[in-house]
Amino acid sequence: MKFARPALSFALLLAAALMFTGCTSAWGVRADLTNATDSTARSDDQDRNNYARTIDHNTRGIWDDTARLLLLDRPSRLSPYTIP
């Protein structure tokens, strides 16, 4: 009887340790092997950076196109003086 109680408590501690480590963590890794990637080449942060860069580039392009449409991209040629 003296040996049964420490052995039982040791078995319970060992079972608890195995439940919260080791085997269950392997299942957690196997359940999500993608490592937070949306595609095979880039992570979520890289996709967000690429999207922000694309939006920035397109917005600057819209302002350039608007300036050309409104003839604001170069000085007027109607003046008799040379404009630098």
Side-chain angles (χ1 to χ4, degrees):
M1 237 357 166
K2 289 183 181 182
F3 179 71
R5 184 166 284 189
L8 181 62
S9 62
F10 177 73
L12 287 174
L13 286 173
L14 184 63
L18 285 175
M19 283 177 48
F20 294 112
T21 60
C23 298
T24 56
S25 64
W27 286 106
V29 171
R30 289 184 192 128
D32 186 22
L33 290 176
T34 59
N35 200 14
T37 57
D38 286 338
S39 64
T40 58
R42 286 177 272 169
S43 68
D44 293 337
D45 290 334
Q46 290 171 333
D47 283 338
R48 282 190 216 112
N49 289 342
N50 189 30
Y51 179 73
R53 193 172 28 250
T54 302
I55 293 298
D56 180 55
H57 179 75
N58 288 342
T59 304
R60 285 188 282 132
I62 289 171
W63 286 115
D64 289 342
D65 293 343
T66 303
R68 279 189 216 106
L69 181 68
L70 298 176
L71 304 175
L72 300 174
D73 60 335
R74 59 183 74 149
S76 173
R77 295 181 183 167
L78 299 177
S79 174
Y81 304 108
T82 304
I83 300 173

